[in-house]
Amino acid sequence: MQHFSIHFNLPPYFVPLLRNPQCKPPPTPSPVKTHLSLAHSRRHTRSERQVSPSPSASSIAESRNSSPSDPSFTEPIDSSPTPHDIHHTIFLLQHLLRLSVPHIITNILDQAEHWHQVGAQCREKAYVSEHSLPDPYPLGVNVSGVGPAPVRKIVFTIESHDQGWSSTDDGGSWTWFDVVAQSTGPGTQPGTGTEPRVFERLHTNVPASSEARRVVIEMRRSEEGSEDADARRRAEWVRGLRDGDVVSLVPKAQFGGWTNHVLFARIVVYTTWYL
């Protein structure tokens, strides 16, 4: 008798279900049987994905504490749950808990934030003034998911400051960050797709301060019903993202003397793999 083991990265409350002796690897999903269409491609299987290893918590912490003289780097972040893990979770909900209503299963997965995540981080020093070229910061993430609006959440981490002084005391800040989504079709090169979608002023630096500050900003699709106008604006922008879009950060500055100093940035996109 051959023995084998299967490893899945699932939420803790699913672990007891895996001990059920009747639990077997799920079959290939069928829209007729599961009512949930899952996209599978060779580039998303565990054995065939050619991506760099995800940085560990210690390596990320080390990069945060690196001195400004450290070499710049850009590395991908591609972590669990994988599309296969999400497929297996749907199998557990359908066959072990006997849930067959599609919207109940999707609500469970969304409430648990059981989403695939992909991202990148970069410590590339950049100094942006109003005379700089309008090129995005060297950091972009490809959206990969299923459905007409697969993105559920985007998390941005930004470490930056401005020039450290100001000739006025009106409290205004003229260094900030926009987010750009560039749609690219099959075979097109970045920057040659349709007109980019811009979300203006995702983050604004503290004015006249040379102290680097790190902020974490979330854009959630679920905030569409919020009373906060900014939250609704973020949610509307997230709902417009499609599979294949490239999400980038764009440091901005306006008026003479204002300079946006960028030290570190990370983008992580959370997407669904079910309809």
Side-chain angles (χ1 to χ4, degrees):
M1 177 181 298
Q2 293 183 344
H3 297 276
F4 61 90
S5 60
I6 303 174
H7 300 278
F8 295 100
N9 189 350
L10 299 174
Y13 46 81
F14 285 120
V15 172
L17 298 176
L18 294 176
R19 297 172 182 168
N20 190 319
Q22 301 301 321
C23 182
K24 299 179 181 180
T28 301
S30 168
V32 176
K33 294 182 179 179
T34 65
H35 306 288
L36 292 171
S37 177
L38 291 156
H40 290 269
S41 61
R42 295 175 61 85
R43 61 189 176 92
H44 287 294
T45 60
R46 284 185 180 273
S47 61
E48 293 177 299
R49 284 188 307 165
Q50 300 297 322
V51 298
S52 301
S54 301
S56 63
S58 60
S59 66
I60 293 177
E62 182 179 353
S63 70
R64 289 180 179 177
N65 299 324
S66 299
S67 65
S69 61
D70 286 348
S72 63
F73 69 90
T74 301
E75 58 181 297
I77 302 171
D78 194 358
S79 58
S80 295
T82 65
H84 182 75
D85 294 332
I86 296 172
H87 170 212
H88 189 78
T89 303
I90 293 174
F91 168 79
L92 293 175
L93 291 171
Q94 289 178 325
H95 296 277
L96 298 182
L97 301 184
R98 301 187 182 282
L99 294 177
S100 59
V101 182
H103 75 268
I104 293 180
I105 296 178
T106 56
N107 286 342
I108 291 174
L109 296 178
D110 281 346
Q111 288 295 325
E113 297 193 359
H114 196 54
W115 304 320
H116 180 58
Q117 54 181 290
V118 62
Q121 62 184 18
C122 177
R123 185 177 290 274
E124 176 76 18
K125 289 179 115 179
Y127 308 96
V128 178
S129 69
E130 65 174 348
H131 303 295
S132 299
L133 295 175
D135 293 332
Y137 187 67
L139 178 66
V141 175
N142 289 80
V143 174
S144 179
V146 175
V151 178
R152 290 298 189 263
K153 178 175 72 172
I154 308 176
V155 179
F156 298 89
T157 304
I158 303 171
E159 185 176 350
S160 62
H161 62 86
D162 69 6
Q163 69 283 347
W165 59 272
S166 175
S167 58
T168 62
D169 57 359
D170 59 3
S173 177
W174 296 100
T175 61
W176 71 94
F177 291 82
D178 290 344
V179 184
V180 173
Q182 177 69 59
S183 297
T184 56
T188 59
Q189 297 298 320
T192 61
T194 59
E195 192 69 21
R197 298 174 58 247
V198 180
F199 184 90
E200 297 181 345
R201 288 190 176 267
L202 173 75
H203 170 63
T204 302
N205 287 323
V206 175
S209 174
S210 59
E211 178 185 355
R213 291 175 170 84
R214 177 169 294 214
V215 297
V216 179
I217 304 170
E218 289 190 0
M219 299 179 71
R220 286 178 169 269
R221 174 183 171 176
S222 59
E223 292 179 320
E224 55 190 349
S226 173
E227 297 181 357
D228 186 342
D230 287 338
R232 292 196 304 272
R233 189 168 68 97
R234 291 192 296 265
E236 181 181 1
W237 192 87
V238 170
R239 288 199 307 273
L241 293 173
R242 299 292 182 264
D243 179 68
D245 287 357
V246 179
V247 178
S248 304
L249 273 175
V250 181
K252 305 283 283 187
Q254 189 176 359
F255 302 127
W258 289 88
T259 306
N260 196 343
H261 295 244
V262 188
L263 305 179
F264 174 83
R266 179 190 297 126
I267 306 173
V268 181
V269 180
Y270 296 75
T271 60
T272 61
W273 279 83
Y274 46 86
L275 292 176

